[in-house]
Amino acid sequence: MSSNNAWLVNNAGYVADSWLIQAIQVSYNIREETTYNREMLPLVKYAKAHEDWNCLLITYDEEGTEEGIPVVPVWKWLMWV
């Protein structure tokens, strides 16, 4: 392996030569308008500027999609990791 490449091994033992690039925002919830504006709007702006990145918002118990961004409860996200 070349030292200038980033390498990772997933749990199946497959070696990949590139990293999965994600922007992750974490908030207890986004029910209140001020919290939504503080947490979601910058993430949406970032997603538009970096279309090749996966963006994700992790919350305590909310799930769905907001403005094209997946919203995932932390317990479900932990099962993916």
Side-chain angles (χ1 to χ4, degrees):
M1 287 185 240
S2 172
S3 63
N4 61 355
N5 289 333
W7 292 88
L8 62 100
V9 178
N10 69 16
N11 57 3
Y14 174 77
V15 178
D17 64 355
S18 63
W19 292 93
L20 173 63
I21 302 174
Q22 287 189 312
I24 299 174
Q25 184 70 10
V26 179
S27 179
Y28 184 78
N29 69 53
I30 54 170
R31 293 181 189 117
E32 295 180 22
E33 184 178 1
T34 55
T35 306
Y36 181 91
N37 291 338
R38 182 184 68 237
E39 304 295 340
M40 183 57 79
L41 297 182
L43 189 58
V44 170
K45 184 178 179 180
Y46 192 84
K48 289 178 182 176
H50 302 279
E51 292 180 5
D52 56 332
W53 286 46
N54 293 325
C55 293
L56 178 68
L57 178 69
I58 301 171
T59 65
Y60 178 72
D61 62 355
E62 295 173 65
E63 186 171 12
T65 302
E66 293 287 334
E67 301 190 41
I69 306 289
V71 178
V72 180
V74 66
W75 68 267
K76 190 172 275 190
W77 179 78
L78 287 170
M79 291 177 65
W80 295 343
V81 176

